Amino acid sequence: MNKEKIKTILYWVTTVLVAANYAFAAYAYTVQGPEVVEGMSKLGYPLYFVTLLGVWKLLGAIAISIPKFPLLKEWAYAGMFFNLTAASISTGISGFETVHIVMPLVGLVLVGLSWALRPESRRLPGVWSLS
């Protein structure tokens, strides 16, 4: 298998995992599932923020999944970066178990790989990527 084919497969695997994770989280957040509400309450965030995050997560999942719109994808990946780093820091500062600090960072690695491995048609001209 050639390098380009491996890169494409890795891109799609990571992108599907990220998009599925964000779509599932969007559902859990917008219906304000009990675990989400409990977690956000422990973090001290208001419940309306849960709905906002849910909508943004769904839009992010859609943005990285659809073809074209490279600028929109850059914004979606940036939002995911902010979301996941903030989640890790917030849970760490709030004294959550280590797993709740580490899991957003695992998601961040997948987001980073999806971003870096995206094909030319999904990139802004001149933006760095793994080649």
Side-chain angles (χ1 to χ4, degrees), residues 9-63:
I9 291 169
L10 288 174
Y11 165 74
W12 280 110
V13 167
T14 58
T15 302
V16 166
L17 288 172
V18 169
N21 181 346
Y22 267 74
F24 175 75
Y27 173 77
Y29 279 52
T30 54
V31 300
Q32 295 190 1
E35 292 172 357
V36 173
V37 170
E38 181 184 350
M40 288 296 196
S41 296
K42 286 181 183 177
L43 290 169
Y45 293 126
L47 282 182
Y48 70 82
F49 192 59
V50 175
T51 304
L52 285 172
L53 280 176
V55 170
W56 290 337
K57 285 174 181 283
L58 179 60
L59 293 174
I62 293 168

Side-chain angles (χ1 to χ4, degrees), residues 34-131:
E35 292 172 357
V36 173
V37 170
E38 181 184 350
M40 288 296 196
S41 296
K42 286 181 183 177
L43 290 169
Y45 293 126
L47 282 182
Y48 70 82
F49 192 59
V50 175
T51 304
L52 285 172
L53 280 176
V55 170
W56 290 337
K57 285 174 181 283
L58 179 60
L59 293 174
I62 293 168
I64 68 167
S65 299
I66 61 173
K68 300 183 183 172
F69 305 103
L71 181 59
L72 180 63
K73 288 178 192 331
E74 290 295 321
W75 279 95
Y77 282 120
M80 290 173 179
F81 173 83
F82 298 139
N83 169 243
L84 292 167
T85 55
S88 183
I89 292 167
S90 294
T91 55
I93 289 171
S94 298
F96 279 60
E97 296 173 353
T98 303
V99 68
H100 295 290
I101 300 165
V102 172
M103 287 312 291
L105 299 176
V106 170
L108 184 59
V109 169
L110 292 174
V111 167
L113 285 170
S114 173
W115 177 84
L117 294 167
R118 70 205 184 288
E120 188 71 33
S121 64
R122 292 172 175 254
R123 277 191 259 147
L124 286 174
V127 174
W128 180 87
S129 70
L130 292 176
S131 297

